[in-house]
Amino acid sequence: MPLITLPDGTTREYQDDVTPAQVAADIGPGLAKAALGARIDGELADLSAPITEDAELALVTAKDREGDPDEDAQYLMRHSCAHVMAEAIEELFPGARLVYGPPVENGFYYDIAFPEGSMISSDDFSRVEEVMKRIIKEDRAFNRYALSCADGLEKLRAEGSKYKIDNAERAIEAGSDELTWYATGTPGTDWEDLCRGPHVPSTGRIGAFKLMSIASSYWHGDERSDRLTRVYGTAFADKKQLKAHLARLEEAQKRDHRVLGRKLQLFTIDEQVGQGLILWKPAGAMVRQLLQNFISEELTRQGYAQVFTPHIGKLDLYRTSGHYPYYQESQYTPIIDRETLAGLAEEGCSCGELANRMDEGEIDGYLLKPMNCPHHIKIYASEQRSYRDLPVRLAEFGTVYRWEQSGEIGGMTRVRGFTQDDAHLFCREDQIADEVQGCLHIVKLIFSTLGMTEYRVRVGLRDPDGTKYVGDPGKWDRAEQACREAAATLGVPFSEEPGEAAFYGPKIDFVVKDVIGREWQLGTIQVDYNLPERFDLEYIGADNQRHRPVMIHRAPFGSMERFIGVLIEHFAGAFPCWLAPEQVRVLPISEKSADYANDLLGMLKDRGIRATVDHGSDRIQAKVKVAADLKIPYLAVVGPRDAEQGSVSVRAFGREQNLGALPLDTFVDSVARESESRGASSLMEHFEEVGT
RNA sequence: GCCACCGUAGCUCAGUGGUAGAGCACACCCUUGGUAAGGGUGAGGUCACGGGUUCAAGUCCCGUCGGUGGCUCCA
């Protein structure tokens, strides 16, 4: 006699087993029609799932109670749509074997092994979609049936589907006591798929869908294993939602930093220079410089010392640090001097032999530095250090080079040469907590100044069963606790992830999403017991004994390249006044006002404001349009009327209207104050009455 | 690195085997116009690069380089 408790607290009692569909029908025909699935005790389930005992039941409909698209409904619809797509593809591509087709954040995909010589391409999407539409129109029910593990496996073996057998075996290993299938229609005659479910009641309930793209993947994510074709699609409750989603994607594309980087002349990448190597153009370099100045000010305030170190170092340095032996495949190959190379050639030394002899240390060379720490360590080690000197905080906007896989490189977010806002703190163990806090303070300050609130924090802890970690467990416990406590003070979501620590210590990472939903790690703070050991670093303690310092690596924004790439997208290219490469553009109405415009330009430049004049022969409308396209924060329109009154008429980016006139001094002074205060004051304060 | 798709003017893109195109940007001329593009004229191309097929290749095939989306990787 199940007692069903609904989300509003009301209850219904049933004499026998009941399904969510029946409950929905009892509540009302509207709900029965709208229901796509159910949450039984919080667990997503089919509408036809039997409820045998007391349960909390919520019916899933396309829209939640706030009227927003319901996430569970989307999950059900997309999962079901993946089945429909798979059926359509199997129909059109005989011999295609299905592997795995889950819903994902913005849609779903299905991994499929296509037979040799029969490959789907995006040109095939429309005919696949036609078949899918037909299947949806047929409105066939999703019918679930279960077999015992043994019977199920036998069935799969009879069908000979290697991938599905694997899925089943893994489900069994994970503790399933049965295997379930979903037939799209009648089991035995209609299409079916081994699947855990749940699904919408029938294909007709899939509102609107679209195939999006094709990609490849590896079976089990293992690059040595079978290569699969992944077809991405998305589904929504109705056409309107789908359309809105596609519009969002289009909008997102407009703020893509690669598009804006070109349009706003921030940076360029030239294939002759090399893949993944950023050329900062003047406008982008200005943004970077302003940001670095901002960070530098805070570093100075926190007692960091800035240093400069070269872009290369001897191979032996990186043998000591361990970077060369352990991360060789992600470094540029070493540089060997001409004479040595000639000598080796004469000996007839093979490439393999050369590599071996470099590994052994018989041949030395130089490495483009993959990290800044060894150089900074040598600065630390260049003086005798007392416990009174600690912490020693060495900071550098240090450029490093890494041989990233070619397929992974793109835009500014994944590059081969980049500048970290790096620093290494050498401290006593009891100072770790305070130092980590200090690092977080910079992160908080800069993210809040930039208005970046959409980031998450990941605390990487050691895997409790792992054996790869250096340093004693007691130290680890204390360092992990310090990281955990520090992260909690940030006031943003953070997750603890065991096994994500570096082998030498725990870390805190900052992760943001780009405009197309990909996550990027920006900054990181890492506690390191290993390098001080490797380089035999020491300080003299109060006890007059030698002690080993602990190192903290921290690059709160990761790299200037990636950070500014993300920042461009964050602002959609419309930098706030203090960061804008061009802060003010003076627009004379005609040549008659050229002198007056130049006078204003002079005043702006005297106050350090980055400004230009558009002396072109365009009409004012065109000048405004051009400047607006460049997302310049303030436009200063000057004509005869202004010259007469000693004023300037102001237009701000993003405002459709001319804001009104200000005396020249007031204008220049306000922009200067806004710029110097990094936005704490604003020129807009003069126009508040107008704006509201 | 792997798979798919793509590479035509500075940018965005059209061009399905038969004379290389458009819009914007650029240069010059006219226009001196009060807030999101006034008008005209002109210049600009080794169709990424290298091979091949063909009477004929931007177009078809192979390779290389580069880009995009994924996968894998990311000290």
Side-chain angles (χ1 to χ4, degrees):
Chain A
M1 284 206 296
L3 182 71
I4 305 294
T5 309
L6 296 165
D8 64 1
T10 59
T11 56
R12 281 168 183 269
E13 196 165 1
Y14 287 88
Q15 295 307 316
D16 282 310
D17 291 358
V18 69
T19 67
Q22 284 170 282
V23 178
D26 290 345
I27 296 171
L31 183 58
K33 210 175 152 199
L36 294 167
R39 277 182 293 271
I40 302 171
D41 291 329
E43 195 115 338
L44 198 57
D46 290 326
L47 218 45
S48 58
I51 301 172
T52 55
E53 49 195 51
D54 293 358
E56 287 184 13
L57 173 72
L59 291 153
V60 174
T61 54
K63 286 183 182 170
D64 63 18
R65 272 183 286 184
E66 280 79 47
D68 297 323
D70 185 277
E71 277 181 31
D72 285 335
Q74 290 187 333
Y75 181 97
L76 291 167
M77 206 161 340
R78 289 167 181 174
H79 191 184
S80 303
C81 197
H83 277 225
V84 172
M85 181 180 81
E87 179 179 346
I89 289 175
E90 278 202 333
E91 183 179 316
L92 293 169
F93 296 85
R97 283 180 301 164
L98 304 177
V99 183
Y100 180 58
V104 288
E105 188 173 352
N106 282 311
F108 61 87
Y109 66 79
Y110 217 118
D111 279 345
I112 297 167
F114 282 88
E116 197 86 19
S118 145
M119 176 52 78
I120 190 170
S121 95
S122 48
D123 296 340
D124 300 311
F125 281 3
S126 54
R127 58 195 192 108
V128 175
E129 284 172 345
E130 284 311 311
V131 176
M132 290 172 69
K133 277 182 200 155
R134 193 196 72 215
I135 296 168
I136 288 172
K137 204 170 168 199
E138 286 166 5
D139 196 19
R140 304 195 315 242
F142 280 94
N143 283 312
R144 179 182 188 275
Y145 69 91
L147 294 178
S148 71
C149 294
D151 291 350
L153 277 175
E154 196 177 318
K155 169 180 161 67
L156 290 170
R157 289 202 185 102
E159 290 165 0
S161 58
K162 155 182 168 186
Y163 302 107
K164 290 292 169 185
I165 294 170
D166 179 71
N167 286 350
E169 280 169 349
R170 295 206 297 169
I172 292 165
E173 199 166 310
S176 293
D177 46 12
E178 58 177 16
L179 295 173
T180 58
W181 272 257
Y182 277 80
T184 315
T186 315
T189 50
D190 281 316
W191 190 87
E192 63 175 33
D193 191 13
L194 173 76
C195 177
R196 194 182 48 188
H199 284 282
V200 295
S202 66
T203 58
R205 307 303 298 277
I206 298 164
F209 71 93
K210 184 174 164 60
L211 300 197
M212 301 300 289
S213 64
I214 281 184
S216 89
S217 61
Y218 299 109
W219 195 29
H220 294 180
D222 178 354
E223 61 180 325
R224 287 158 307 189
S225 188
D226 299 8
R227 245 187 331 267
L228 308 169
T229 302
R230 177 170 296 182
V231 184
Y232 281 89
T234 191
F236 286 88
D238 55 50
K239 282 209 175 91
K240 204 171 142 198
Q241 282 182 25
L242 174 63
K243 220 172 142 190
H245 174 71
L246 297 175
R248 270 195 304 278
L249 291 181
E250 216 166 293
E251 256 332 283
Q253 223 199 337
K254 285 190 201 149
R255 49 197 301 163
D256 188 312
H257 76 278
R258 293 164 297 194
V259 174
L260 288 170
R262 196 178 302 117
K263 205 166 132 191
L264 305 180
Q265 298 164 4
L266 299 171
F267 68 94
T268 187
I269 300 166
D270 186 284
E271 63 176 88
Q272 201 171 16
V273 173
Q275 223 189 349
L277 301 172
I278 303 296
L279 303 174
W280 294 79
K281 308 215 311 185
M286 180 57 72
V287 176
R288 169 170 163 179
Q289 189 64 57
L290 291 161
L291 208 56
Q292 288 187 184
N293 291 348
F294 181 25
I295 295 170
S296 293
E297 280 173 29
E298 183 59 21
L299 291 178
T300 305
R301 206 170 289 130
Q302 282 199 24
Y304 283 73
Q306 295 208 48
V307 298
F308 295 106
T309 66
H311 288 212
I312 63 173
K314 283 171 82 173
L315 213 46
D316 193 46
L317 177 70
Y318 301 101
R319 277 196 205 95
T320 302
S321 71
H323 293 124
Y324 183 68
Y326 296 132
Y327 304 107
Q328 224 178 93
E329 71 290 348
S330 43
Q331 292 160 7
Y332 275 85
T333 46
I335 304 162
I336 300 168
D337 73 74
R338 207 170 271 120
E339 234 167 78
T340 310
L341 213 51
L344 291 164
E346 219 159 280
E347 285 174 38
C349 172
S350 72
C351 292
E353 204 181 329
L354 173 64
N356 286 338
R357 287 170 69 177
M358 278 194 303
D359 290 353
E360 299 297 319
E362 281 175 42
I363 300 171
D364 217 342
Y366 286 84
L367 205 59
L368 274 171
K369 67 178 174 188
M371 293 197 111
N372 297 307
C373 20
H375 288 75
H376 292 178
I377 284 170
K378 288 301 183 183
I379 291 177
Y380 175 88
S382 69
E383 293 173 35
Q384 189 175 55
R385 306 288 181 174
S386 147
Y387 72 98
R388 297 172 196 275
D389 300 331
L390 302 187
V392 171
R393 308 182 183 93
L394 302 178
E396 177 180 16
F397 290 98
T399 306
V400 298
Y401 299 89
R402 298 183 189 176
W403 186 260
E404 302 287 357
Q405 295 187 47
S406 63
E408 191 49 74
I409 291 172
M412 293 183 112
T413 40
R414 192 77 182 261
V415 294
R416 282 186 172 159
F418 55 93
T419 303
Q420 297 178 309
D421 60 323
D422 210 358
H424 295 94
L425 316 184
F426 301 84
C427 64
R428 303 190 307 263
E429 214 212 318
D430 62 288
Q431 293 171 319
I432 291 175
D434 279 351
E435 291 308 307
V436 170
Q437 282 288 356
C439 298
L440 292 180
H441 181 75
I442 299 185
V443 173
K444 258 193 285 194
L445 174 72
I446 291 173
F447 276 175
S448 70
T449 304
L450 295 170
M452 293 175 76
T453 50
E454 299 288 305
Y455 65 101
R456 70 182 184 92
V457 176
R458 194 165 61 195
V459 180
L461 306 173
R462 67 196 191 283
D463 180 346
D465 306 320
T467 52
K468 63 171 185 175
Y469 304 102
V470 301
D472 79 63
K475 285 182 178 175
W476 269 89
D477 287 340
R478 289 192 292 275
E480 288 184 345
Q481 191 53 26
C483 287
R484 204 179 273 131
E485 283 170 12
T489 67
L490 268 169
V492 299
F494 79 96
S495 58
E496 294 184 18
E497 300 187 15
E500 285 301 306
F503 71 91
Y504 49 73
K507 59 177 187 167
I508 302 176
D509 295 330
F510 306 96
V511 179
V512 297
K513 268 189 196 171
D514 72 10
V515 97
I516 46 180
R518 291 182 293 203
E519 281 205 325
W520 297 101
Q521 182 186 315
L522 289 182
T524 183
I525 299 171
Q526 309 183 350
V527 180
D528 182 1
Y529 300 104
N530 176 50
L531 283 176
E533 198 76 36
R534 281 180 161 266
F535 281 94
D536 197 23
L537 297 183
E538 53 187 32
Y539 66 90
I540 308 298
D543 56 2
N544 199 31
Q545 299 294 305
R546 292 167 190 275
H547 296 273
R548 187 80 74 206
V550 180
M551 264 177 86
I552 298 172
H553 307 246
R554 41 115 286 173
F557 305 102
S559 80
M560 300 314 292
E561 284 75 6
R562 181 175 288 179
F563 185 61
I564 288 178
V566 169
L567 199 62
I568 292 167
E569 299 187 353
H570 169 66
F571 287 124
F575 292 104
C577 180
W578 72 272
L579 259 184
E582 183 175 350
Q583 298 173 297
V584 175
R585 180 166 289 191
V586 183
L587 307 179
I589 293 288
S590 76
E591 276 170 25
K592 290 174 192 150
S593 307
D595 290 344
Y596 187 65
N598 283 334
D599 290 347
L600 174 54
L601 180 70
M603 290 173 71
L604 289 162
K605 290 203 155 173
D606 283 348
R607 293 295 300 271
I609 294 161
R610 301 178 292 280
T612 62
V613 180
D614 184 347
H615 281 301
S617 66
D618 281 331
R619 295 170 61 183
I620 193 66
Q621 287 86 341
K623 291 183 183 181
V624 167
K625 159 80 169 139
V626 166
D629 280 349
L630 290 171
K631 305 181 190 249
I632 297 165
Y634 296 120
L635 305 185
V637 176
V638 289
R641 217 153 62 210
D642 300 283
E644 207 169 292
Q645 296 166 3
S647 66
V648 50
S649 81
V650 179
R651 187 180 173 117
F653 180 79
R655 307 280 176 135
E656 284 185 17
Q657 295 297 313
N658 168 16
L659 291 169
L662 284 182
L664 287 188
D665 288 347
T666 311
F667 174 68
V668 173
D669 198 56
S670 302
V671 175
R673 275 192 293 122
E674 176 169 352
S675 185
E676 284 153 16
S677 69
R678 298 198 171 99
S681 77
S682 167
L683 170 68
M684 293 310 291
E685 286 156 17
H686 294 282
F687 299 108
E688 238 146 33
E689 306 91 68
V690 179
T692 52

